[in-house]
Amino acid sequence: MISLNARLCQINAKFWKILNRNIKTKVDESKKVKFTDTINLPKTKFPTRLNQQQRADVEEIIRTKHLNVLYNWQRENLQTQSDDYVLHDGPPYANGNLHMGHAVNKILKDIILKQKIISGKRVHYVPGWDCHGLPIELKALGNIKEKSPLKIREKAKKFAIEAIKNQKASFESWGVTGTWNDNNHTYRTFDKNYIKNQLKMFHKMYKRELIYRDLKPVYFSPSSGTALAEAELEYDENFKSPSLYFRCELLNSQDISNEKVYALIWTTTPWTLPANQAICFNKDLRYNLVKINGSNFIICADTIQNLKSELETDIEIVKEVSAEFLKNLLYRHPVNTDEVLPFYAATHVQSDKGTGLVHTAPTHGQDDFLVFLNKKIPLKCLVNEKGCYNELAPDFLKHKEVLGDGNKLVLQHVEKMNNIVKLKEFKHSYPIDWRTKSPVIILASEQWFINTEKIKTKAIQEIENVKIYPEKSSKISKSVLKTQLEKRPYWCISRQRCWGVPIPVLYNDQKQAIINDDLINNYIKLIEETGSIDFWWEKDVEKLVPKNFDSSGLRKGNDILDIWFDSGISWSYALEKNQIADLYLEGVDQFTGWFQSSLMTSVGIRDKAPYKNIFVHGFTVDETGRKMSKSLGNIISPDSIVKKYGIDVMRFWIAAHATQHSLIPVSNKLLDDSANNLIKIRSTLKYLLGVIGSIEDDCAIDETQLTHLDRFILHQLSDYVSNAKNAYESFQFNRIIALTNNFVNTDLSSCYLHLIKDRLYCGYDSEHQRFRKILSNCYSQLAKTLWPITPFLVEESWNYLESSYSFFKRLRNNSDEKTMWNFSESKEIVEFALNLKKSFCSQLTDMNTTKLNVTIEGNDDDLKVLMNLHPTFNKVHHDSQLCEILQVSSIVLKHSPLKEMKISYETASDNFCPRCRRFQAGANGICIRSSLSSTISDKNVTVRTCKITKKLKKIAIIHGGSKWDLPVNVNLVISHN
């Protein structure tokens, strides 16, 4: 028995002889035969592009039909044995429209949530908003100078609600996972239940003696009229201050000179001189008596060279002065010369700037304050909470603004006493109020504090167990956070405003704080009854206390809680039971803000950190690295990006650029690049959909039927999936984008899909079915990897395979799907052939390789690899795997002693099949394979006799229940007896 293929060739030739002899109907040879219907071209209605309106319509359908139900669906359907993945949302501020920083933050969080969900992990995520604080208060009031606290609160709350409504709509439109329309699954810091919890947390810390009231120097904003925390400061790098070198006359310096001796002091805040109470020196530094312009001064020896430059004069060293001598010195006050003051030793005095002698005003400096705190010396406070000199100040300064006329008037006074040594302008970094952008001062006042000294040791221990991302900057980030905690002396949590949560304290006649369980419980009861905390401003003290509670002589406190305390205790409200969040994700500025306030409160209340991991992202800037601002005209808003490019392009850009740099560049060029990359990915998805046609329940692949090229792409797919998974776990989304672009553009499109087109379009049905399964796996794994980043594109493409449910719901039916293949040997074989192809093509110029007959000569080692793809020597083959990879008509392998392979070629003279345009045409004008467009699975079957019938539209061989179509231009049916 001969093989079926050979027998069919014989039958085909006989058919044509019979037809030419028996069929009388004339065939119009001028009409070209069309083979389009016999070619398996990819077919799908999935569009290559969408215009702006089409894109918006598709996004709306996907959002409302699929993504909006995602959070609740995964909570109900992804019941896992392990704990939920908890991402705790740092609340954005409800004070206006969203900017690119919001988009970066929320979409990074969403990518993480979606990746966990698509991996089968249930997530816990409660979106929140920070709703209190001065910026909202100022925006709500506008130009209205409303003094009533209740009116201010009413307007501020209304403003915040509107801002939240707009922000929520944007977050939802971006496809961010959450229950946006259910207030029970979001949190707002003005909600009654949130405030009830906040009062409880405050009281817990108070009972643990972590919260107290005291007189201390704090950053104070005259423009806002309130104390500020470190996190509420910005720094003006070009702030201009007076740089004053002045002298103070020493009163008991006779042991070192018979002439007058002065202490030389440097300051950039002359307005603080009236509050001077001492001069500080460091006993570990060396000091000299020197002559400057004929006068005697004491200065630190290590500052002399710098002072020569600063004072623009020579300095003559007279003698060394001991620290023992300095500690007994007295001097005249720089403003009130009748007042005599001492020298104190202090470690904060350094020699890197100034003179090594420091003007000390403990009400205006934290280091100064600590010196006097240790010595238990009363403080001199000459400035009020409006930033003006009070009644205790000298007459010429009373009621003057310290940051207004203060410096000028003090300088005039010191000059009048002939005590200015040098005065010039000094440009330096200075703290400003992050809201009003006006300079702040340090001012000692009665405030509420959290005792960070009692917390910081445990907090630093907890930070050791927290992993910080990105990993490349983890050590630096952790060191920065620990250093800030170590240096933080206290945390001021009181503010002198009314839009916020009141500090729940009453005061008696002796100004002692009254707070206890009964009072706190009654406040909580009143919140529940009235629906808000407004009663604190509405009701008298008698109405605030429980029945039978003596309220005589009591008054309400007027301070509110710092908004960092507001948001810092959000873990206690948003997390379930005693949960610790798997992740906090915010901008790098939150090392001084929310990361710290959350850590401090959690350690203070429950002795552990609120998070296991921290992910830090940078700030968005324009393409030149400048901060975006209206004045510069360089703002690119999320809305403008979405309108021009669509949501997925914005998400793609964020994934590509927001996780590896402290400054995240936003430019039209980068956005165009992201859009172009997505177009390429979309085109590949379209091609895959065209091949797949529809989803099959069984995508299992028979590995015994695979070619090396088939195995190569499955191996590359597995590598891609594995590497992408690892990148997701370490939040390297930029790497996922790079991996995806490489897999789609290089491995899939340029290599595999390009090389298999002949088999795919013109091969047998069994080959096509195998391609469907291979490419179904490519599609599903590519879609699964991309879905967290570009959910709209993936969901849209999925709709052309399966429209009854969303892509993520496929998870439940997909658990047993094989996703990993290890065909490393085939990978090496194919890559060897691809390198050979690259070398071969470098010899050609604009030549169609499919028309070439190629001869490859090489040594045994090289040919041994190629024989995996082309199994014979010295024999022409048209249909080997190597022919497919090199895309040539035929190949002959020949042994050669040469060290390097030699490739020669000639143009094929054969007539090529008009259907596949690759193989030789037979007697009937087409190749054997084109005559058998369906697979004959049993190659040993024998066809004995056939019967010919006229006037049907195709030739069909029917044998043993199987049928093979022969597309020719004559009407026949062949059936075996």
Side-chain angles (χ1 to χ4, degrees), residues 404-420:
D405 293 333
N407 278 327
K408 182 173 67 173
L409 291 171
V410 170
L411 288 171
Q412 289 174 354
H413 183 80
V414 176
E415 184 179 28
K416 196 181 298 182
M417 295 189 297
N418 198 32
N419 283 332
I420 292 181

PDB file of all heavy atoms in Angstrom, residues 404-420:
ATOM      1  N   GLY A 404       6.288  91.726  59.587  1.00  0.00           N
ATOM      2  CA  GLY A 404       6.065  92.954  58.842  1.00  0.00           C
ATOM      3  C   GLY A 404       7.147  93.962  59.177  1.00  0.00           C
ATOM      4  O   GLY A 404       8.257  93.936  58.648  1.00  0.00           O
ATOM      5  N   ASP A 405       6.827  94.841  60.135  1.00  0.00           N
ATOM      6  CA  ASP A 405       7.791  95.864  60.546  1.00  0.00           C
ATOM      7  C   ASP A 405       8.778  95.364  61.588  1.00  0.00           C
ATOM      8  O   ASP A 405       9.734  96.074  61.921  1.00  0.00           O
ATOM      9  CB  ASP A 405       7.043  97.076  61.117  1.00  0.00           C
ATOM     10  CG  ASP A 405       6.228  97.789  60.054  1.00  0.00           C
ATOM     11  OD1 ASP A 405       6.617  97.694  58.872  1.00  0.00           O
ATOM     12  OD2 ASP A 405       5.226  98.428  60.405  1.00  0.00           O
ATOM     13  N   GLY A 406       8.544  94.163  62.141  1.00  0.00           N
ATOM     14  CA  GLY A 406       9.355  93.679  63.251  1.00  0.00           C
ATOM     15  C   GLY A 406      10.842  93.722  62.990  1.00  0.00           C
ATOM     16  O   GLY A 406      11.610  94.321  63.761  1.00  0.00           O
ATOM     17  N   ASN A 407      11.295  93.070  61.904  1.00  0.00           N
ATOM     18  CA  ASN A 407      12.733  93.045  61.603  1.00  0.00           C
ATOM     19  C   ASN A 407      13.296  94.447  61.430  1.00  0.00           C
ATOM     20  O   ASN A 407      14.364  94.779  61.959  1.00  0.00           O
ATOM     21  CB  ASN A 407      12.987  92.226  60.334  1.00  0.00           C
ATOM     22  CG  ASN A 407      13.039  90.730  60.607  1.00  0.00           C
ATOM     23  OD1 ASN A 407      13.478  90.301  61.658  1.00  0.00           O
ATOM     24  ND2 ASN A 407      12.595  89.943  59.639  1.00  0.00           N
ATOM     25  N   LYS A 408      12.583  95.276  60.692  1.00  0.00           N
ATOM     26  CA  LYS A 408      13.079  96.619  60.382  1.00  0.00           C
ATOM     27  C   LYS A 408      13.248  97.465  61.649  1.00  0.00           C
ATOM     28  O   LYS A 408      14.279  98.127  61.853  1.00  0.00           O
ATOM     29  CB  LYS A 408      12.119  97.307  59.410  1.00  0.00           C
ATOM     30  CG  LYS A 408      12.556  98.692  58.977  1.00  0.00           C
ATOM     31  CD  LYS A 408      11.656  99.252  57.889  1.00  0.00           C
ATOM     32  CE  LYS A 408      10.261  99.504  58.425  1.00  0.00           C
ATOM     33  NZ  LYS A 408       9.401 100.204  57.423  1.00  0.00           N
ATOM     34  N   LEU A 409      12.254  97.421  62.540  1.00  0.00           N
ATOM     35  CA  LEU A 409      12.306  98.224  63.758  1.00  0.00           C
ATOM     36  C   LEU A 409      13.398  97.734  64.707  1.00  0.00           C
ATOM     37  O   LEU A 409      14.088  98.546  65.349  1.00  0.00           O
ATOM     38  CB  LEU A 409      10.950  98.198  64.460  1.00  0.00           C
ATOM     39  CG  LEU A 409       9.819  98.933  63.721  1.00  0.00           C
ATOM     40  CD1 LEU A 409       8.476  98.654  64.379  1.00  0.00           C
ATOM     41  CD2 LEU A 409      10.098 100.440  63.683  1.00  0.00           C
ATOM     42  N   VAL A 410      13.561  96.430  64.825  1.00  0.00           N
ATOM     43  CA  VAL A 410      14.618  95.897  65.688  1.00  0.00           C
ATOM     44  C   VAL A 410      15.989  96.280  65.145  1.00  0.00           C
ATOM     45  O   VAL A 410      16.891  96.670  65.898  1.00  0.00           O
ATOM     46  CB  VAL A 410      14.478  94.374  65.835  1.00  0.00           C
ATOM     47  CG1 VAL A 410      15.707  93.786  66.527  1.00  0.00           C
ATOM     48  CG2 VAL A 410      13.222  94.005  66.616  1.00  0.00           C
ATOM     49  N   LEU A 411      16.182  96.187  63.839  1.00  0.00           N
ATOM     50  CA  LEU A 411      17.464  96.552  63.235  1.00  0.00           C
ATOM     51  C   LEU A 411      17.788  98.031  63.467  1.00  0.00           C
ATOM     52  O   LEU A 411      18.941  98.391  63.758  1.00  0.00           O
ATOM     53  CB  LEU A 411      17.441  96.240  61.736  1.00  0.00           C
ATOM     54  CG  LEU A 411      17.494  94.753  61.344  1.00  0.00           C
ATOM     55  CD1 LEU A 411      17.254  94.574  59.854  1.00  0.00           C
ATOM     56  CD2 LEU A 411      18.843  94.143  61.741  1.00  0.00           C
ATOM     57  N   GLN A 412      16.779  98.847  63.327  1.00  0.00           N
ATOM     58  CA  GLN A 412      16.992 100.281  63.575  1.00  0.00           C
ATOM     59  C   GLN A 412      17.429 100.527  65.022  1.00  0.00           C
ATOM     60  O   GLN A 412      18.303 101.348  65.297  1.00  0.00           O
ATOM     61  CB  GLN A 412      15.702 101.060  63.269  1.00  0.00           C
ATOM     62  CG  GLN A 412      15.367 101.141  61.799  1.00  0.00           C
ATOM     63  CD  GLN A 412      14.018 101.785  61.549  1.00  0.00           C
ATOM     64  OE1 GLN A 412      13.257 102.076  62.492  1.00  0.00           O
ATOM     65  NE2 GLN A 412      13.697 102.024  60.276  1.00  0.00           N
ATOM     66  N   HIS A 413      16.820  99.789  65.945  1.00  0.00           N
ATOM     67  CA  HIS A 413      17.146  99.938  67.358  1.00  0.00           C
ATOM     68  C   HIS A 413      18.572  99.483  67.647  1.00  0.00           C
ATOM     69  O   HIS A 413      19.321 100.168  68.366  1.00  0.00           O
ATOM     70  CB  HIS A 413      16.146  99.129  68.205  1.00  0.00           C
ATOM     71  CG  HIS A 413      16.334  99.271  69.667  1.00  0.00           C
ATOM     72  ND1 HIS A 413      15.868 100.364  70.380  1.00  0.00           N
ATOM     73  CD2 HIS A 413      16.961  98.468  70.588  1.00  0.00           C
ATOM     74  CE1 HIS A 413      16.180 100.227  71.660  1.00  0.00           C
ATOM     75  NE2 HIS A 413      16.841  99.071  71.803  1.00  0.00           N
ATOM     76  N   VAL A 414      18.972  98.335  67.101  1.00  0.00           N
ATOM     77  CA  VAL A 414      20.331  97.828  67.325  1.00  0.00           C
ATOM     78  C   VAL A 414      21.371  98.746  66.697  1.00  0.00           C
ATOM     79  O   VAL A 414      22.455  98.978  67.251  1.00  0.00           O
ATOM     80  CB  VAL A 414      20.457  96.390  66.774  1.00  0.00           C
ATOM     81  CG1 VAL A 414      21.891  95.877  66.900  1.00  0.00           C
ATOM     82  CG2 VAL A 414      19.511  95.455  67.504  1.00  0.00           C
ATOM     83  N   GLU A 415      21.037  99.291  65.531  1.00  0.00           N
ATOM     84  CA  GLU A 415      21.957 100.220  64.862  1.00  0.00           C
ATOM     85  C   GLU A 415      22.135 101.498  65.681  1.00  0.00           C
ATOM     86  O   GLU A 415      23.236 102.042  65.777  1.00  0.00           O
ATOM     87  CB  GLU A 415      21.429 100.548  63.470  1.00  0.00           C
ATOM     88  CG  GLU A 415      22.370 101.422  62.657  1.00  0.00           C
ATOM     89  CD  GLU A 415      21.836 101.722  61.270  1.00  0.00           C
ATOM     90  OE1 GLU A 415      20.595 101.742  61.107  1.00  0.00           O
ATOM     91  OE2 GLU A 415      22.651 101.908  60.357  1.00  0.00           O
ATOM     92  N   LYS A 416      21.030 101.947  66.290  1.00  0.00           N
ATOM     93  CA  LYS A 416      21.080 103.152  67.105  1.00  0.00           C
ATOM     94  C   LYS A 416      22.046 102.976  68.276  1.00  0.00           C
ATOM     95  O   LYS A 416      22.700 103.924  68.711  1.00  0.00           O
ATOM     96  CB  LYS A 416      19.667 103.469  67.626  1.00  0.00           C
ATOM     97  CG  LYS A 416      19.511 104.882  68.171  1.00  0.00           C
ATOM     98  CD  LYS A 416      18.084 105.095  68.691  1.00  0.00           C
ATOM     99  CE  LYS A 416      17.067 104.944  67.567  1.00  0.00           C
ATOM    100  NZ  LYS A 416      15.685 105.201  68.062  1.00  0.00           N
ATOM    101  N   MET A 417      22.157 101.732  68.773  1.00  0.00           N
ATOM    102  CA  MET A 417      23.073 101.447  69.876  1.00  0.00           C
ATOM    103  C   MET A 417      24.473 101.090  69.371  1.00  0.00           C
ATOM    104  O   MET A 417      25.327 100.671  70.146  1.00  0.00           O
ATOM    105  CB  MET A 417      22.523 100.296  70.721  1.00  0.00           C
ATOM    106  CG  MET A 417      21.205 100.660  71.413  1.00  0.00           C
ATOM    107  SD  MET A 417      20.710  99.395  72.605  1.00  0.00           S
ATOM    108  CE  MET A 417      20.489  97.994  71.541  1.00  0.00           C
ATOM    109  N   ASN A 418      24.680 101.218  68.051  1.00  0.00           N
ATOM    110  CA  ASN A 418      25.991 100.983  67.432  1.00  0.00           C
ATOM    111  C   ASN A 418      26.477  99.540  67.633  1.00  0.00           C
ATOM    112  O   ASN A 418      27.666  99.296  67.833  1.00  0.00           O
ATOM    113  CB  ASN A 418      27.030 101.967  67.990  1.00  0.00           C
ATOM    114  CG  ASN A 418      28.249 102.054  67.094  1.00  0.00           C
ATOM    115  OD1 ASN A 418      28.148 101.909  65.870  1.00  0.00           O
ATOM    116  ND2 ASN A 418      29.420 102.286  67.703  1.00  0.00           N
ATOM    117  N   ASN A 419      25.547  98.590  67.568  1.00  0.00           N
ATOM    118  CA  ASN A 419      25.913  97.194  67.809  1.00  0.00           C
ATOM    119  C   ASN A 419      25.849  96.322  66.559  1.00  0.00           C
ATOM    120  O   ASN A 419      25.986  95.103  66.645  1.00  0.00           O
ATOM    121  CB  ASN A 419      25.038  96.601  68.908  1.00  0.00           C
ATOM    122  CG  ASN A 419      25.465  97.057  70.283  1.00  0.00           C
ATOM    123  OD1 ASN A 419      26.644  97.357  70.494  1.00  0.00           O
ATOM    124  ND2 ASN A 419      24.531  97.136  71.217  1.00  0.00           N
ATOM    125  N   ILE A 420      25.600  96.915  65.386  1.00  0.00           N
ATOM    126  CA  ILE A 420      25.611  96.135  64.148  1.00  0.00           C
ATOM    127  C   ILE A 420      27.036  96.061  63.625  1.00  0.00           C
ATOM    128  O   ILE A 420      27.693  97.078  63.416  1.00  0.00           O
ATOM    129  CB  ILE A 420      24.683  96.749  63.083  1.00  0.00           C
ATOM    130  CG1 ILE A 420      23.210  96.622  63.509  1.00  0.00           C
ATOM    131  CG2 ILE A 420      24.893  96.060  61.731  1.00  0.00           C
ATOM    132  CD1 ILE A 420      22.225  97.190  62.511  1.00  0.00           C
TER     133      ILE A 420
END
